[in-house]
């Protein structure tokens, strides 16, 4: 049975799963960096909470979100696998679509609210925080949502179903693909070129 050459077909199917995994792992690392005391980029993301650092914010907003991002990285890795079948594959796809929708809603929704200023933002939101949210964080969430969506879409690959048997599968095992037709005897009239008992033409076996 012929194998598909390595590097063809498999890469496009798993590419978006790997990108989503890297996205989630990078976001997890950033939250863990903030959780242990790092402050680079935190002020433009969390505003006054970056300076106050209340316990609930550190536990839920930094450690908790970082742990969720690690679970997202695991989900993306599962979506990129080719051996996932049955109920686990279905569950992974549903989770993938859910994560994609959540990230896209977060990125696009906040982007629209900031651009239209329909909510009359609180004065605690600085101009710098608003600008960085528009230019960096919202596009980051949108990119993550697209990556998870495409990873989930690509996980529905044709290899989930068993491939049909190849016509030459039995030939490789030394077995004919179809039984030979039995030869029949043809009785001809006396005086013809052939005599009774001669074998008529038979269908040749298919070549392997």
């Amino acid at each position: 049975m012929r194998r598909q050459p390595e590097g063809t077909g498999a890469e496009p199917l798993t590419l978006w799963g790997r990108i989503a995994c890297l996205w989630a792992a990078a976001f997890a690392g950033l939250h863990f960096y903030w959780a242990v005391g790092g402050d680079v980029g935190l002020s433009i993301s969390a505003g006054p909470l970056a300076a106050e650092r209340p316990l609930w914010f550190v536990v839920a907003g930094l450690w908790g979100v970082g742990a969720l991002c690690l679970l997202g990285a695991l989900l993306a890795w599962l979506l990129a696998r080719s051996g996932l079948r049955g109920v686990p594959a279905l569950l992974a796809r549903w989770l993938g679509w859910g994560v994609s929708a959540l990230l896209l809603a977060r990125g696009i929704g906040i982007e629209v609210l900031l651009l239209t200023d329909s909510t009359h933002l609180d004065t605690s939101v600085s101009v710098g925080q608003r600008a960085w949210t528009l230019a960096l964080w919202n596009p980051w969430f949108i990119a993550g949502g697209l990556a998870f969506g495409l990873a989930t879409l690509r996980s529905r690959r044709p290899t989930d179903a068993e491939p049909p048997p190849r016509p030459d599968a039995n030939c490789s095992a030394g077995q004919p693909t179809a039984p030979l037709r039995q030869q029949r005897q043809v009785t001809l009239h006396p005086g013809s070129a052939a005599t009774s008992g001669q074998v008529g033409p038979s269908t040749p076996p298919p070549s392997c």
Side-chain angles (χ1 to χ4, degrees):
M1 189 173 181
R2 296 179 183 176
R3 282 188 174 182
Q4 188 177 10
E6 295 183 1
T8 60
E11 285 296 328
L13 291 175
T14 61
L15 176 62
W16 287 107
R18 295 175 184 178
I19 292 176
C21 184
L22 290 175
W23 181 96
F27 211 27
L30 182 61
H31 279 80
F32 291 147
Y33 162 75
W34 288 336
V36 297
D39 57 359
V40 176
L42 183 59
S43 61
I44 61 175
S45 174
L49 291 175
E52 299 171 4
R53 283 183 176 267
L55 180 61
W56 67 265
F57 172 69
V58 175
V59 173
L62 299 181
W63 287 110
V65 173
L68 288 177
C69 288
L70 284 183
L71 292 177
L74 176 61
L75 173 62
W77 177 74
L78 290 174
L79 290 172
R81 292 190 61 190
S82 60
L84 208 59
R85 299 288 188 274
V87 175
L90 184 62
L91 179 60
R93 288 172 187 143
W94 276 107
L95 288 174
W97 287 123
V99 171
S100 174
L102 181 64
L103 292 174
L104 288 174
R106 163 62 175 82
I108 297 175
I110 299 299
E111 192 83 356
V112 171
L113 290 177
L114 289 176
L115 289 174
T116 58
D117 198 16
S118 58
T119 57
H120 302 289
L121 295 175
D122 191 354
T123 55
S124 61
V125 179
S126 64
V127 177
Q129 184 182 357
R130 182 178 185 274
W132 277 105
T133 301
L134 285 170
L136 175 62
W137 297 121
N138 290 340
W140 173 260
F141 280 105
I142 294 172
L146 291 175
F148 270 93
L150 289 171
T152 305
L153 184 64
R154 287 291 189 174
S155 69
R156 298 180 62 86
R157 57 178 64 89
T159 53
D160 287 345
E162 290 295 331
R166 295 178 60 86
D168 58 348
N170 291 331
C171 292
S172 60
Q175 301 176 358
T177 56
L180 296 177
R181 295 182 179 180
Q182 294 183 350
Q183 297 178 348
R184 52 182 183 158
Q185 293 181 344
V186 180
T187 304
L188 303 178
H189 294 287
S192 68
T195 59
S196 176
Q198 278 187 325
V199 178
S202 60
T203 303
S207 60
C208 295

